[in-house]
PDB file of all heavy atoms in Angstrom:
ATOM      1  N   SER A  10     102.607 164.782  92.302  1.00 90.00           N
ATOM      2  CA  SER A  10     103.193 166.068  91.898  1.00 90.00           C
ATOM      3  C   SER A  10     104.257 165.843  90.832  1.00 90.00           C
ATOM      4  O   SER A  10     104.324 166.577  89.831  1.00 90.00           O
ATOM      5  CB  SER A  10     103.795 166.773  93.108  1.00 90.00           C
ATOM      6  OG  SER A  10     104.442 167.964  92.734  1.00 90.00           O
ATOM      7  N   ALA A  11     105.093 164.809  91.022  1.00 90.00           N
ATOM      8  CA  ALA A  11     106.138 164.504  90.036  1.00 90.00           C
ATOM      9  C   ALA A  11     105.518 164.055  88.708  1.00 90.00           C
ATOM     10  O   ALA A  11     106.023 164.386  87.623  1.00 90.00           O
ATOM     11  CB  ALA A  11     107.065 163.416  90.582  1.00 90.00           C
ATOM     12  N   TYR A  12     104.413 163.321  88.788  1.00 90.00           N
ATOM     13  CA  TYR A  12     103.732 162.832  87.580  1.00 90.00           C
ATOM     14  C   TYR A  12     103.117 163.991  86.780  1.00 90.00           C
ATOM     15  O   TYR A  12     103.232 164.045  85.564  1.00 90.00           O
ATOM     16  CB  TYR A  12     102.649 161.823  87.987  1.00 90.00           C
ATOM     17  CG  TYR A  12     101.760 161.389  86.839  1.00 90.00           C
ATOM     18  CD1 TYR A  12     102.246 160.551  85.836  1.00 90.00           C
ATOM     19  CD2 TYR A  12     100.435 161.825  86.764  1.00 90.00           C
ATOM     20  CE1 TYR A  12     101.429 160.163  84.783  1.00 90.00           C
ATOM     21  CE2 TYR A  12      99.617 161.437  85.726  1.00 90.00           C
ATOM     22  CZ  TYR A  12     100.120 160.606  84.724  1.00 90.00           C
ATOM     23  OH  TYR A  12      99.308 160.227  83.677  1.00 90.00           O
ATOM     24  N   ILE A  13     102.461 164.930  87.479  1.00 87.00           N
ATOM     25  CA  ILE A  13     101.760 166.024  86.795  1.00 87.00           C
ATOM     26  C   ILE A  13     102.708 167.155  86.402  1.00 87.00           C
ATOM     27  O   ILE A  13     102.673 167.650  85.271  1.00 87.00           O
ATOM     28  CB  ILE A  13     100.635 166.582  87.688  1.00 87.00           C
ATOM     29  CG1 ILE A  13      99.555 165.511  87.905  1.00 87.00           C
ATOM     30  CG2 ILE A  13     100.006 167.840  87.073  1.00 87.00           C
ATOM     31  CD1 ILE A  13      98.441 165.930  88.846  1.00 87.00           C
ATOM     32  N   PHE A  14     103.598 167.558  87.349  1.00 84.00           N
ATOM     33  CA  PHE A  14     104.433 168.755  87.138  1.00 84.00           C
ATOM     34  C   PHE A  14     105.889 168.429  86.807  1.00 84.00           C
ATOM     35  O   PHE A  14     106.682 169.337  86.556  1.00 84.00           O
ATOM     36  CB  PHE A  14     104.406 169.638  88.392  1.00 84.00           C
ATOM     37  CG  PHE A  14     103.041 170.154  88.775  1.00 84.00           C
ATOM     38  CD1 PHE A  14     102.385 169.650  89.895  1.00 84.00           C
ATOM     39  CD2 PHE A  14     102.413 171.124  88.010  1.00 84.00           C
ATOM     40  CE1 PHE A  14     101.145 170.132  90.268  1.00 84.00           C
ATOM     41  CE2 PHE A  14     101.166 171.617  88.384  1.00 84.00           C
ATOM     42  CZ  PHE A  14     100.522 171.108  89.507  1.00 84.00           C
ATOM     43  N   GLU A  15     106.216 167.126  86.898  1.00 85.00           N
ATOM     44  CA  GLU A  15     107.617 166.711  86.771  1.00 85.00           C
ATOM     45  C   GLU A  15     108.472 167.341  87.859  1.00 85.00           C
ATOM     46  O   GLU A  15     109.649 167.634  87.687  1.00 85.00           O
ATOM     47  CB  GLU A  15     108.174 167.062  85.377  1.00 85.00           C
ATOM     48  CG  GLU A  15     107.457 166.349  84.245  1.00 85.00           C
ATOM     49  CD  GLU A  15     108.061 166.669  82.891  1.00 85.00           C
ATOM     50  OE1 GLU A  15     108.972 167.526  82.844  1.00 85.00           O
ATOM     51  OE2 GLU A  15     107.627 166.076  81.897  1.00 85.00           O
ATOM     52  N   ASN A  16     107.840 167.588  88.982  1.00 88.00           N
ATOM     53  CA  ASN A  16     108.513 168.183  90.143  1.00 88.00           C
ATOM     54  C   ASN A  16     107.746 167.727  91.387  1.00 88.00           C
ATOM     55  O   ASN A  16     106.559 168.023  91.519  1.00 88.00           O
ATOM     56  CB  ASN A  16     108.498 169.713  90.049  1.00 88.00           C
ATOM     57  CG  ASN A  16     109.205 170.362  91.229  1.00 88.00           C
ATOM     58  OD1 ASN A  16     109.516 169.721  92.233  1.00 88.00           O
ATOM     59  ND2 ASN A  16     109.453 171.663  91.110  1.00 88.00           N
ATOM     60  N   PRO A  17     108.397 166.998  92.287  1.00 89.00           N
ATOM     61  CA  PRO A  17     107.668 166.452  93.439  1.00 89.00           C
ATOM     62  C   PRO A  17     107.387 167.467  94.542  1.00 89.00           C
ATOM     63  O   PRO A  17     106.733 167.139  95.536  1.00 89.00           O
ATOM     64  CB  PRO A  17     108.617 165.360  93.957  1.00 89.00           C
ATOM     65  CG  PRO A  17     109.979 165.864  93.594  1.00 89.00           C
ATOM     66  CD  PRO A  17     109.818 166.566  92.265  1.00 89.00           C
ATOM     67  N   GLU A  18     107.854 168.732  94.412  1.00 89.00           N
ATOM     68  CA  GLU A  18     107.801 169.680  95.517  1.00 89.00           C
ATOM     69  C   GLU A  18     106.651 170.668  95.458  1.00 89.00           C
ATOM     70  O   GLU A  18     106.619 171.639  96.205  1.00 89.00           O
ATOM     71  CB  GLU A  18     109.133 170.455  95.606  1.00 89.00           C
ATOM     72  CG  GLU A  18     110.348 169.582  95.820  1.00 89.00           C
ATOM     73  CD  GLU A  18     110.218 168.742  97.081  1.00 89.00           C
ATOM     74  OE1 GLU A  18     109.637 169.241  98.075  1.00 89.00           O
ATOM     75  OE2 GLU A  18     110.668 167.586  97.074  1.00 89.00           O
ATOM     76  N   HIS A  19     105.700 170.469  94.539  1.00 88.00           N
ATOM     77  CA  HIS A  19     104.542 171.370  94.521  1.00 88.00           C
ATOM     78  C   HIS A  19     103.686 171.143  95.766  1.00 88.00           C
ATOM     79  O   HIS A  19     103.675 170.048  96.350  1.00 88.00           O
ATOM     80  CB  HIS A  19     103.715 171.144  93.250  1.00 88.00           C
ATOM     81  CG  HIS A  19     104.272 171.848  92.054  1.00 88.00           C
ATOM     82  ND1 HIS A  19     103.746 173.016  91.560  1.00 88.00           N
ATOM     83  CD2 HIS A  19     105.346 171.555  91.263  1.00 88.00           C
ATOM     84  CE1 HIS A  19     104.448 173.419  90.510  1.00 88.00           C
ATOM     85  NE2 HIS A  19     105.424 172.538  90.307  1.00 88.00           N
ATOM     86  N   SER A  20     102.965 172.203  96.195  1.00 89.00           N
ATOM     87  CA  SER A  20     102.170 172.114  97.421  1.00 89.00           C
ATOM     88  C   SER A  20     100.989 171.167  97.225  1.00 89.00           C
ATOM     89  O   SER A  20     100.559 170.886  96.096  1.00 89.00           O
ATOM     90  CB  SER A  20     101.659 173.492  97.815  1.00 89.00           C
ATOM     91  OG  SER A  20     100.704 173.968  96.882  1.00 89.00           O
ATOM     92  N   ALA A  21     100.456 170.706  98.346  1.00 89.00           N
ATOM     93  CA  ALA A  21      99.316 169.782  98.310  1.00 89.00           C
ATOM     94  C   ALA A  21      98.115 170.427  97.635  1.00 89.00           C
ATOM     95  O   ALA A  21      97.380 169.766  96.879  1.00 89.00           O
ATOM     96  CB  ALA A  21      98.961 169.351  99.732  1.00 89.00           C
ATOM     97  N   SER A  22      97.892 171.722  97.894  1.00 87.00           N
ATOM     98  CA  SER A  22      96.739 172.388  97.279  1.00 87.00           C
ATOM     99  C   SER A  22      96.902 172.472  95.759  1.00 87.00           C
ATOM    100  O   SER A  22      95.930 172.311  95.007  1.00 87.00           O
ATOM    101  CB  SER A  22      96.548 173.780  97.871  1.00 87.00           C
ATOM    102  OG  SER A  22      97.678 174.594  97.627  1.00 87.00           O
ATOM    103  N   GLU A  23      98.123 172.734  95.292  1.00 87.00           N
ATOM    104  CA  GLU A  23      98.370 172.804  93.846  1.00 87.00           C
ATOM    105  C   GLU A  23      98.168 171.433  93.196  1.00 87.00           C
ATOM    106  O   GLU A  23      97.593 171.329  92.094  1.00 87.00           O
ATOM    107  CB  GLU A  23      99.786 173.309  93.583  1.00 87.00           C
ATOM    108  CG  GLU A  23     100.002 174.777  93.933  1.00 87.00           C
ATOM    109  CD  GLU A  23     101.457 175.196  93.812  1.00 87.00           C
ATOM    110  OE1 GLU A  23     102.339 174.376  94.153  1.00 87.00           O
ATOM    111  OE2 GLU A  23     101.705 176.328  93.391  1.00 87.00           O
ATOM    112  N   VAL A  24      98.632 170.405  93.884  1.00 91.00           N
ATOM    113  CA  VAL A  24      98.473 169.052  93.349  1.00 91.00           C
ATOM    114  C   VAL A  24      96.989 168.680  93.289  1.00 91.00           C
ATOM    115  O   VAL A  24      96.489 168.159  92.281  1.00 91.00           O
ATOM    116  CB  VAL A  24      99.247 168.037  94.208  1.00 91.00           C
ATOM    117  CG1 VAL A  24      98.926 166.604  93.768  1.00 91.00           C
ATOM    118  CG2 VAL A  24     100.753 168.301  94.126  1.00 91.00           C
ATOM    119  N   GLY A  25      96.260 168.986  94.374  1.00 90.00           N
ATOM    120  CA  GLY A  25      94.841 168.660  94.410  1.00 90.00           C
ATOM    121  C   GLY A  25      94.064 169.389  93.331  1.00 90.00           C
ATOM    122  O   GLY A  25      93.197 168.799  92.657  1.00 90.00           O
ATOM    123  N   GLU A  26      94.371 170.671  93.122  1.00 88.00           N
ATOM    124  CA  GLU A  26      93.659 171.444  92.106  1.00 88.00           C
ATOM    125  C   GLU A  26      93.980 170.917  90.706  1.00 88.00           C
ATOM    126  O   GLU A  26      93.097 170.821  89.844  1.00 88.00           O
ATOM    127  CB  GLU A  26      94.030 172.924  92.218  1.00 88.00           C
ATOM    128  CG  GLU A  26      93.231 173.801  91.261  1.00 88.00           C
ATOM    129  CD  GLU A  26      93.407 175.278  91.525  1.00 88.00           C
ATOM    130  OE1 GLU A  26      94.196 175.626  92.425  1.00 88.00           O
ATOM    131  OE2 GLU A  26      92.751 176.081  90.844  1.00 88.00           O
ATOM    132  N   ALA A  27      95.254 170.567  90.466  1.00 88.00           N
ATOM    133  CA  ALA A  27      95.649 170.044  89.159  1.00 88.00           C
ATOM    134  C   ALA A  27      94.932 168.722  88.868  1.00 88.00           C
ATOM    135  O   ALA A  27      94.502 168.466  87.727  1.00 88.00           O
ATOM    136  CB  ALA A  27      97.164 169.852  89.106  1.00 88.00           C
ATOM    137  N   CYS A  28      94.806 167.895  89.891  1.00 91.00           N
ATOM    138  CA  CYS A  28      94.090 166.623  89.723  1.00 91.00           C
ATOM    139  C   CYS A  28      92.631 166.879  89.352  1.00 91.00           C
ATOM    140  O   CYS A  28      92.065 166.206  88.473  1.00 91.00           O
ATOM    141  CB  CYS A  28      94.169 165.801  91.005  1.00 91.00           C
ATOM    142  SG  CYS A  28      95.800 165.111  91.335  1.00 91.00           S
ATOM    143  N   PHE A  29      92.017 167.849  90.031  1.00 90.00           N
ATOM    144  CA  PHE A  29      90.609 168.151  89.750  1.00 90.00           C
ATOM    145  C   PHE A  29      90.447 168.685  88.328  1.00 90.00           C
ATOM    146  O   PHE A  29      89.521 168.285  87.597  1.00 90.00           O
ATOM    147  CB  PHE A  29      90.079 169.165  90.761  1.00 90.00           C
ATOM    148  CG  PHE A  29      88.622 169.486  90.578  1.00 90.00           C
ATOM    149  CD1 PHE A  29      87.648 168.705  91.172  1.00 90.00           C
ATOM    150  CD2 PHE A  29      88.221 170.562  89.797  1.00 90.00           C
ATOM    151  CE1 PHE A  29      86.306 168.982  90.991  1.00 90.00           C
ATOM    152  CE2 PHE A  29      86.884 170.845  89.609  1.00 90.00           C
ATOM    153  CZ  PHE A  29      85.915 170.055  90.208  1.00 90.00           C
ATOM    154  N   VAL A  30      91.347 169.593  87.909  1.00 86.00           N
ATOM    155  CA  VAL A  30      91.277 170.158  86.553  1.00 86.00           C
ATOM    156  C   VAL A  30      91.413 169.060  85.513  1.00 86.00           C
ATOM    157  O   VAL A  30      90.683 169.014  84.513  1.00 86.00           O
ATOM    158  CB  VAL A  30      92.365 171.242  86.370  1.00 86.00           C
ATOM    159  CG1 VAL A  30      92.473 171.653  84.898  1.00 86.00           C
ATOM    160  CG2 VAL A  30      92.053 172.447  87.241  1.00 86.00           C
ATOM    161  N   LYS A  31      92.356 168.163  85.755  1.00 86.00           N
ATOM    162  CA  LYS A  31      92.581 167.056  84.812  1.00 86.00           C
ATOM    163  C   LYS A  31      91.344 166.159  84.738  1.00 86.00           C
ATOM    164  O   LYS A  31      90.879 165.784  83.644  1.00 86.00           O
ATOM    165  CB  LYS A  31      93.797 166.235  85.250  1.00 86.00           C
ATOM    166  CG  LYS A  31      94.170 165.115  84.269  1.00 86.00           C
ATOM    167  CD  LYS A  31      95.464 164.436  84.729  1.00 86.00           C
ATOM    168  CE  LYS A  31      95.822 163.293  83.802  1.00 86.00           C
ATOM    169  NZ  LYS A  31      96.089 163.747  82.419  1.00 86.00           N
ATOM    170  N   ALA A  32      90.768 165.847  85.888  1.00 89.00           N
ATOM    171  CA  ALA A  32      89.560 164.992  85.919  1.00 89.00           C
ATOM    172  C   ALA A  32      88.379 165.719  85.269  1.00 89.00           C
ATOM    173  O   ALA A  32      87.551 165.094  84.574  1.00 89.00           O
ATOM    174  CB  ALA A  32      89.219 164.610  87.376  1.00 89.00           C
ATOM    175  N   LEU A  33      88.274 167.046  85.510  1.00 86.00           N
ATOM    176  CA  LEU A  33      87.181 167.811  84.930  1.00 86.00           C
ATOM    177  C   LEU A  33      87.276 167.820  83.394  1.00 86.00           C
ATOM    178  O   LEU A  33      86.253 167.677  82.708  1.00 86.00           O
ATOM    179  CB  LEU A  33      87.204 169.237  85.491  1.00 86.00           C
ATOM    180  CG  LEU A  33      86.136 170.200  84.945  1.00 86.00           C
ATOM    181  CD1 LEU A  33      84.739 169.686  85.256  1.00 86.00           C
ATOM    182  CD2 LEU A  33      86.340 171.606  85.485  1.00 86.00           C
ATOM    183  N   GLU A  34      88.489 168.015  82.894  1.00 82.00           N
ATOM    184  CA  GLU A  34      88.680 168.020  81.432  1.00 82.00           C
ATOM    185  C   GLU A  34      88.272 166.679  80.834  1.00 82.00           C
ATOM    186  O   GLU A  34      87.613 166.616  79.787  1.00 82.00           O
ATOM    187  CB  GLU A  34      90.130 168.337  81.093  1.00 82.00           C
ATOM    188  CG  GLU A  34      90.524 169.784  81.384  1.00 82.00           C
ATOM    189  CD  GLU A  34      92.023 170.032  81.193  1.00 82.00           C
ATOM    190  OE1 GLU A  34      92.767 169.033  81.031  1.00 82.00           O
ATOM    191  OE2 GLU A  34      92.425 171.207  81.213  1.00 82.00           O
ATOM    192  N   GLU A  35      88.658 165.590  81.502  1.00 85.00           N
ATOM    193  CA  GLU A  35      88.281 164.256  81.014  1.00 85.00           C
ATOM    194  C   GLU A  35      86.780 164.059  81.073  1.00 85.00           C
ATOM    195  O   GLU A  35      86.159 163.467  80.175  1.00 85.00           O
ATOM    196  CB  GLU A  35      89.004 163.189  81.827  1.00 85.00           C
ATOM    197  CG  GLU A  35      90.506 163.188  81.616  1.00 85.00           C
ATOM    198  CD  GLU A  35      91.214 162.176  82.517  1.00 85.00           C
ATOM    199  OE1 GLU A  35      90.522 161.533  83.342  1.00 85.00           O
ATOM    200  OE2 GLU A  35      92.455 162.045  82.402  1.00 85.00           O
ATOM    201  N   ALA A  36      86.162 164.577  82.150  1.00 87.00           N
ATOM    202  CA  ALA A  36      84.708 164.411  82.294  1.00 87.00           C
ATOM    203  C   ALA A  36      83.961 165.207  81.247  1.00 87.00           C
ATOM    204  O   ALA A  36      82.941 164.751  80.703  1.00 87.00           O
ATOM    205  CB  ALA A  36      84.291 164.876  83.706  1.00 87.00           C
TER     206      ALA A  36
END
């Protein structure tokens, strides 16, 4: 969360979705 949002307090669902979006864009 800190790596993606520069804030470690984002929810697990937000972190998981952001990871998927980032991976999808790369794919």
Side-chain angles (χ1 to χ4, degrees):
S10 176
Y12 172 72
I13 295 176
F14 299 108
E15 298 182 355
N16 181 348
E18 301 302 324
H19 279 258
S20 68
S22 61
E23 290 173 323
V24 172
E26 185 170 3
C28 288
F29 182 86
V30 170
K31 184 175 178 63
L33 178 61
E34 290 173 350
E35 293 176 357

